[in-house]
Amino acid sequence: MRNRPTPAPFSLRSQRSKAFHRGVRPAFAESAERDFAQVRTGGADLEAMKTLTEYLKFHAKTHRAYIHITPQVEQIVRKSGVKEGMVLVSAMHITAGVYVNDNETGLIEDIDQWLEHLAPFRKDYKHHQTGEDNGDSHLKALLIHHEVIVPITEGKLDLGTWQRIFYAEFDGQRDKRVIVKVMGE
Amino acid sequence: MRNRPTPAPFSLRSQRSKAFHRGVRPAFAESAERDFAQVRTGGADLEAMKTLTEYLKFHAKTHRAYIHITPQVEQIVRKSGVKEGMVLVSAMHITAGVYVNDNETGLIEDIDQWLEHLAPFRKDYKHHQTGEDNGDSHLKALLIHHEVIVPITEGKLDLGTWQRIFYAEFDGQRDKRVIVKVMGE
Amino acid sequence: MRNRPTPAPFSLRSQRSKAFHRGVRPAFAESAERDFAQVRTGGADLEAMKTLTEYLKFHAKTHRAYIHITPQVEQIVRKSGVKEGMVLVSAMHITAGVYVNDNETGLIEDIDQWLEHLAPFRKDYKHHQTGEDNGDSHLKALLIHHEVIVPITEGKLDLGTWQRIFYAEFDGQRDKRVIVKVMGE
């Protein structure tokens, strides 16, 4: 950042941001200036906090697998009794991930091939000097990310129409776990 | 992991970690051993919990767009009255993302070109057999990630000097939504 | 999504999901249908909320560095007194990240080389027209992601056996900060 001025206080900074946007080509500018609306729901309520923690267990039959877990997460949220809050869904391993996207077979295969393309299996990862052979599994997990936070509104997962939660296994055929922690009121 | 010993209890494991670091080349070791300090602020306070949920609506005029939403998120946090907590900002779609980075026009164009390079439009994604043509939009959304959690301290977004929140649209020209859920005390 | 029907209510949608899965090749289907178990722990307790916020400071001697911070985060969680909750660990910069993976020297070098391969240093990023030279640092930070949320159970970080928290510096030799915000009961 060394070549840029220290920003002015926030109100001015947000004007600066607008100025930046005016300079952006239409692709960005139109969206930023025109296509914006805001809808309010609910209100700020004072409540006591609740938590519930459960663990999902997996043992994939294959080296890589993509497992739809929205129904299991939804069931845990229902059990928690939390009406407003968030649920953390996080792989407890360094060769697995959790992501939110479409539950569509073709896309899942596209994702698998794309991950293999960007984080390919190779014999010569330095990590393999430890005796491991799963360097690519670590990189795939970093790319897809190991955790998501899903909002809970009126006691339900507040997901978009097509959003589904997936466990992504990149080094399967062994026992793995995902922690599901519900926190809210 | 099959070729590696089960780790000792945590205290020993962290010694093991230090040993690992001693083995690391200077790039990692110096940083890990020397360049570390810690600053304490605030204290652990007991309070009742508050939540507020709002939805931001978008309709980008272009197929891809990067929209700066920090001011809108800040406004929702102010309205919530939450002084200490977190705000989840999450796209409710599988072809859009939310990320935190710089509000600088050139960089936004670099990000757009980089995403197209790593997750390019292609006719032959398996997902397209469903009649879709947006396989690349799903992959771009997975790469940038669909959600961020921003800390709230003393009633304000606790962002670094240059950090700004963006909605990234990868399949625009239709109605999209982002959920903003504030949770704290 | 224009070519796909609006989904039926959730119960039906999850049947649709199963149907999708039946169509998936064994790699996915077996995992989804067979390798699934659930373990319950703890219970949903009503408590008052606690938060604690601290900042970790870094000044890497090198341009890129990967610094293990699990012990520091654990210490902050202990100090907070939070028994059930989450801790947000988030870089306050746009050229640094925070991730969870293995504390293994070879893998850390693999990650560094992989990031340089997918988000290489280049002279010609548009961002450099501002006088910056760190366009690649922004892209590396977006790829690794700038924040993680770690669950806290029974007063401890609820990480898997090999999961460790790292600060990833992509534009070092200057002061940087990571916010650690504990929230729970």
Side-chain angles (χ1 to χ4, degrees):
Chain A
M1 294 299 136
R2 72 196 74 100
N3 301 315
R4 287 163 61 187
T6 309
F10 199 93
S11 58
L12 296 182
R13 257 187 290 145
S14 43
Q15 285 163 29
R16 166 182 163 285
S17 308
K18 282 208 188 59
F20 266 59
H21 265 308
R22 263 181 232 103
V24 186
R25 65 169 197 251
F28 310 117
E30 283 189 72
S31 317
E33 303 304 337
R34 299 201 207 138
D35 302 340
F36 198 84
Q38 200 174 115
V39 180
R40 171 147 203 267
T41 70
D45 308 317
L46 271 172
E47 298 285 348
M49 208 183 95
K50 268 183 194 171
T51 62
L52 176 63
T53 306
E54 299 207 3
Y55 301 85
L56 306 178
K57 291 169 73 180
F58 303 87
H59 190 106
K61 297 268 183 295
T62 50
H63 182 56
R64 296 207 298 273
Y66 302 84
I67 305 178
H68 179 221
I69 59 175
T70 314
Q72 289 79 12
V73 175
E74 205 188 27
Q75 190 187 90
I76 294 166
V77 167
R78 209 179 301 114
K79 187 189 293 174
S80 74
V82 166
K83 297 298 172 215
E84 291 294 325
M86 302 174 187
V87 54
L88 171 65
V89 185
S90 185
M92 301 185 76
H93 301 269
I94 52 189
T95 56
V98 173
Y99 70 91
V100 167
N101 211 283
D102 196 4
N103 185 12
E104 194 281 300
T105 308
L107 181 69
I108 290 170
E109 295 191 33
D110 292 327
I111 291 169
D112 185 64
Q113 288 170 26
W114 177 68
L115 290 171
E116 179 59 26
H117 175 67
L118 290 185
F121 172 79
R122 283 171 35 200
K123 284 198 177 310
D124 64 342
Y125 287 116
K126 290 193 172 60
H127 183 50
H128 295 177
Q129 293 167 16
T130 63
E132 298 286 348
D133 60 357
N134 60 3
D136 68 300
S137 311
H138 291 265
L139 301 180
K140 288 175 171 83
L142 286 169
L143 188 50
I144 207 75
H145 213 57
H146 78 286
E147 114 249 294
V148 297
I149 292 260
V150 181
I152 301 166
T153 305
E154 296 170 3
K156 290 194 162 64
L157 294 174
D158 201 346
L159 290 168
T161 305
W162 298 103
Q163 287 183 300
R164 296 292 180 276
I165 309 167
F166 281 83
Y167 170 69
E169 176 62 79
F170 300 121
D171 192 18
Q173 298 162 310
R174 64 192 68 186
D175 294 339
K176 298 283 189 98
R177 292 192 309 160
V178 163
I179 182 168
V180 180
K181 189 176 280 278
V182 186
M183 194 168 146
E185 62 187 24
Chain B
M1 294 300 134
R2 73 195 74 100
N3 300 316
R4 287 164 62 188
T6 308
F10 199 93
S11 58
L12 296 182
R13 256 185 291 146
S14 42
Q15 284 163 30
R16 165 181 163 286
S17 306
K18 283 208 190 57
F20 266 59
H21 264 308
R22 263 180 232 104
V24 185
R25 66 169 196 249
F28 311 117
E30 283 189 72
S31 316
E33 304 302 338
R34 299 201 208 136
D35 303 341
F36 198 85
Q38 200 173 115
V39 180
R40 171 147 204 267
T41 71
D45 308 315
L46 271 172
E47 298 284 348
M49 207 182 96
K50 268 184 193 171
T51 61
L52 176 63
T53 306
E54 300 207 3
Y55 302 86
L56 305 178
K57 291 169 73 181
F58 303 88
H59 189 106
K61 296 269 183 294
T62 50
H63 182 57
R64 297 207 298 273
Y66 302 84
I67 305 178
H68 178 221
I69 60 175
T70 313
Q72 289 79 12
V73 175
E74 205 189 27
Q75 191 186 89
I76 294 166
V77 167
R78 209 179 301 115
K79 186 188 293 174
S80 74
V82 166
K83 296 298 173 214
E84 291 294 325
M86 302 175 188
V87 54
L88 171 65
V89 184
S90 186
M92 302 186 76
H93 302 270
I94 51 188
T95 55
V98 173
Y99 70 90
V100 167
N101 211 283
D102 197 3
N103 186 12
E104 193 281 300
T105 308
L107 181 68
I108 290 170
E109 295 191 34
D110 292 328
I111 291 169
D112 185 64
Q113 288 171 25
W114 176 69
L115 290 171
E116 180 58 25
H117 175 68
L118 291 185
F121 173 79
R122 283 170 36 199
K123 284 198 176 312
D124 64 342
Y125 288 116
K126 291 194 171 61
H127 182 51
H128 295 177
Q129 294 168 13
T130 63
E132 297 287 347
D133 60 358
N134 60 2
D136 69 300
S137 312
H138 291 265
L139 302 180
K140 288 176 171 82
L142 287 169
L143 188 50
I144 207 75
H145 212 58
H146 77 287
E147 113 248 292
V148 297
I149 292 262
V150 181
I152 302 166
T153 305
E154 295 170 4
K156 289 194 162 63
L157 294 175
D158 201 347
L159 290 168
T161 304
W162 298 103
Q163 287 184 301
R164 296 293 180 274
I165 309 167
F166 282 83
Y167 170 69
E169 176 61 79
F170 300 121
D171 192 17
Q173 297 162 311
R174 65 191 67 185
D175 294 338
K176 298 284 191 95
R177 292 191 309 159
V178 163
I179 182 169
V180 180
K181 188 176 282 278
V182 185
M183 192 168 147
E185 61 188 24
Chain C
M1 294 300 135
R2 72 195 73 100
N3 300 314
R4 288 164 60 188
T6 309
F10 198 90
S11 58
L12 297 181
R13 257 187 289 145
S14 43
Q15 284 164 29
R16 165 182 165 285
S17 306
K18 282 208 189 57
F20 266 60
H21 264 307
R22 263 181 232 103
V24 185
R25 65 170 197 248
F28 310 117
E30 283 189 72
S31 316
E33 304 303 338
R34 299 202 207 136
D35 302 339
F36 198 84
Q38 200 174 115
V39 180
R40 170 145 205 268
T41 70
D45 308 316
L46 271 172
E47 299 284 349
M49 207 182 95
K50 268 184 194 171
T51 61
L52 177 63
T53 306
E54 299 206 3
Y55 302 85
L56 305 178
K57 292 169 73 181
F58 303 88
H59 190 105
K61 296 270 182 295
T62 50
H63 181 56
R64 297 208 298 272
Y66 302 83
I67 304 177
H68 178 221
I69 59 174
T70 313
Q72 289 79 13
V73 175
E74 205 188 27
Q75 190 186 91
I76 295 166
V77 168
R78 210 180 300 115
K79 186 188 292 174
S80 74
V82 166
K83 296 297 172 215
E84 292 293 324
M86 302 174 187
V87 54
L88 172 65
V89 184
S90 185
M92 302 185 76
H93 302 270
I94 52 189
T95 56
V98 173
Y99 70 90
V100 167
N101 211 282
D102 197 2
N103 186 12
E104 195 280 300
T105 307
L107 181 69
I108 290 170
E109 295 191 34
D110 292 327
I111 291 169
D112 185 64
Q113 288 171 25
W114 177 68
L115 290 170
E116 180 58 27
H117 175 68
L118 290 185
F121 172 79
R122 282 171 35 200
K123 284 198 177 312
D124 64 341
Y125 288 115
K126 290 193 172 61
H127 182 51
H128 295 177
Q129 293 167 15
T130 63
E132 297 287 348
D133 60 358
N134 61 2
D136 68 300
S137 311
H138 291 265
L139 301 181
K140 288 175 171 83
L142 287 169
L143 189 49
I144 208 74
H145 213 56
H146 78 286
E147 113 246 297
V148 297
I149 292 260
V150 181
I152 301 166
T153 305
E154 295 170 4
K156 289 194 162 64
L157 294 175
D158 202 346
L159 290 168
T161 304
W162 298 103
Q163 287 183 303
R164 296 292 180 274
I165 309 167
F166 281 83
Y167 170 70
E169 176 61 80
F170 300 121
D171 192 17
Q173 298 161 313
R174 64 192 68 185
D175 294 338
K176 299 283 191 95
R177 292 192 308 160
V178 164
I179 182 169
V180 181
K181 189 176 280 277
V182 186
M183 195 168 146
E185 62 187 23

